[in-house]
Amino acid sequence: MSKETILEVKNLAISFKTFDGKVKAVRGVNFDLKRGETLAIVGESGSGKSVSTKAINGLLPKKNTVIESGEILFNGKDLLKISEAEMEKIRGKDISMIFQDPMTSLNPTLSVGKQIAEPMIKHLDYTKEKALERAIEWMRLVGIKNPEETHKHFPHQFSGGMRQRVMIAIALACEPKILIADEPTTALDVTIQAQILEIMNELKDEIETSIIFITHDLGVVAQMANRIAVMYAGQIVEIGTDDEIFYNPKHPYTWGLLASIPSVDESQTELYTIPGSPPNLLYEPKGDAFAPRNAFALKIDFVEEPEMFKVSETHYAKTWLLHPDSPQVQPPASIQKRNEKFLALHPEKAALVGGGLHG
């Protein structure tokens, strides 16, 4: 039985007015979110990840944002068409957000306990006493020690990892249906990063929250995401289950992201990086936006934008290499090695792991 879809983003296109002209930041994005799942949106800086998700929460600057097209459907409502007053009732209660830098998101003049209690007072009509009592419980749930005392502390009295735990507590205080986590672990060291991800996973299951997890690092989402959407130049270029993206990737950009993940199993003399830079979205890219950086680019890539090809019921990729008439291409050797190791551990998933693009 398939899970209920709680959010649908359809043909979303967003531009920003600048002195130099319109920056086409998001160009026809489509995805949905199921109840209780974690969808990771991955891509380099400037790929449109944060812009797409800030549109969901109504957090884009009104002054210079142009919604060119699209719908964001939640509970039968198009979030792009509701008033700010209606959005305020949803933001923080039904859809909440964790930002990258808690120090700039937390109020330095309020104790963390009061900041965690605030959304419960606003959205759940809790008394100050009840909200503070619940805030202390949330602090304990996210792993902050001695919350009966530390709830009186201010953000500057906490470490970076503990401040991020406070942010998670604030975001989950009203038990939202959707949690958007925008690069929530980027500023943290690897050990703290792993702890934060584990906390988010555990709490997600407890309160049945769906998560949209934004990151530039595919390695971070390996143990967290149910599905992964790969974004490049304002578009989703590949989307599939975590296994499909990690062990049967079809888009050369996804290959590059995977090859950039450091390996602990084998000695690496140097870390792979994708050559070149993403396009300037002041100018609409012609053909496939990734073509200038793609070692496997075909002539058609420079002329015509590829369609989204279906690989399986859950897996789609936007590359001409999936066209029946395109040449057979093998993924890079590092990806084939990882696939071989995966198959050795999971022989039952042999059908999932692809060889060439038509294999």
Side-chain angles (χ1 to χ4, degrees):
M1 187 173 158
S2 61
K3 289 184 178 178
E4 174 194 357
T5 298
I6 63 166
L7 183 79
E8 282 184 278
V9 175
K10 297 181 175 182
N11 195 32
L12 183 64
I14 300 170
S15 299
F16 293 111
K17 291 181 280 189
T18 72
F19 289 116
D20 295 321
K22 267 190 189 180
V23 175
K24 300 165 185 68
V26 174
R27 306 184 299 128
V29 161
N30 295 279
F31 66 85
D32 61 18
L33 183 67
K34 312 289 185 192
R35 184 174 298 284
E37 83 165 338
T38 298
L39 171 70
I41 302 180
V42 182
E44 292 166 291
S45 296
S47 60
K49 310 181 302 293
S50 294
V51 174
S52 300
T53 48
K54 281 180 180 173
I56 295 168
N57 230 358
L59 292 175
L60 293 173
K62 302 279 189 288
K63 191 176 178 182
N64 66 333
T65 302
V66 181
I67 306 294
E68 305 282 6
S69 68
E71 296 176 300
I72 300 174
L73 302 176
F74 172 71
N75 277 352
K77 290 180 181 177
D78 183 353
L79 299 181
L80 296 175
K81 292 196 168 84
I82 64 174
S83 67
E84 180 57 27
E86 285 179 283
M87 193 69 233
E88 279 185 11
K89 290 176 184 175
I90 293 170
R91 192 189 298 127
K93 180 178 182 285
D94 294 321
I95 304 174
S96 62
M97 199 155 187
I98 303 171
F99 296 97
Q100 183 172 339
D101 183 4
M103 203 57 194
T104 57
S105 303
L106 293 170
N107 187 332
T109 66
L110 278 182
S111 69
V112 297
K114 284 183 179 176
Q115 292 188 61
I116 298 167
E118 199 170 33
M120 293 182 278
I121 295 167
K122 179 181 178 181
H123 294 296
L124 304 179
D125 294 327
Y126 280 14
T127 62
K128 286 183 181 179
E129 293 75 20
K130 185 180 178 182
L132 189 57
E133 190 180 304
R134 186 69 179 130
I136 290 168
E137 285 178 38
W138 274 112
M139 289 178 73
R140 191 176 289 109
L141 281 169
V142 298
I144 297 173
K145 291 178 182 175
N146 191 21
E148 290 81 8
E149 187 58 38
T150 52
H151 80 271
K152 300 170 191 168
H153 292 180
F154 292 85
H156 72 272
Q157 294 175 275
F158 288 82
S159 67
M162 286 298 158
R163 283 196 291 266
Q164 198 58 285
R165 289 169 198 246
V166 171
M167 283 294 298
I168 293 171
I170 293 170
L172 292 178
C174 295
E175 301 193 8
K177 293 180 175 69
I178 298 170
L179 172 67
I180 300 169
D182 190 352
E183 303 259 14
T185 61
T186 300
L188 307 174
D189 69 53
V190 177
T191 309
I192 303 298
Q193 194 177 81
Q195 290 172 7
I196 295 293
L197 295 179
E198 190 178 343
I199 287 167
M200 288 176 65
N201 259 342
E202 287 173 359
L203 292 176
K204 179 198 83 164
D205 292 339
E206 266 187 49
I207 65 176
E208 293 188 321
T209 290
S210 305
I211 296 177
I212 299 175
F213 191 95
I214 305 163
T215 181
H216 62 274
D217 184 355
L218 254 176
V220 168
V221 301
Q223 302 302 317
M224 185 152 186
N226 304 110
R227 285 191 301 143
I228 298 169
V230 179
M231 280 194 81
Y232 184 77
Q235 297 181 328
I236 289 177
V237 296
E238 186 160 10
I239 188 165
T241 66
D242 54 340
D243 280 348
E244 286 168 336
I245 298 299
F246 274 98
Y247 303 110
N248 194 19
K250 296 300 186 186
H251 199 286
Y253 181 59
T254 312
W255 294 348
L257 292 178
L258 286 166
S260 303
I261 300 172
S263 172
V264 294
D265 298 326
E266 56 196 67
S267 57
Q268 280 184 307
T269 51
E270 60 182 76
L271 190 62
Y272 175 82
T273 55
I274 301 170
S277 303
N280 181 348
L281 292 178
L282 267 170
Y283 312 99
E284 193 89 38
K286 190 175 182 182
D288 184 343
F290 188 59
R293 307 174 71 187
N294 181 8
F296 306 95
L298 307 171
K299 282 184 181 177
I300 193 172
D301 282 314
F302 295 92
V303 180
E304 194 174 337
E305 185 180 318
E307 60 185 86
M308 191 66 105
F309 288 91
K310 181 178 178 179
V311 182
S312 75
E313 291 300 323
T314 51
H315 189 186
Y316 294 80
K318 194 178 175 69
T319 171
W320 285 120
L321 290 175
L322 285 170
H323 192 280
D325 295 337
S326 76
Q328 179 88 359
V329 172
Q330 294 292 333
S334 62
I335 290 172
Q336 293 187 58
K337 277 184 190 173
R338 177 169 47 248
N339 287 358
E340 286 165 13
K341 289 178 183 175
F342 177 74
L343 272 182
L345 292 169
H346 305 281
E348 76 282 1
K349 294 194 176 183
L352 171 72
V353 177
L357 273 185
H358 304 135

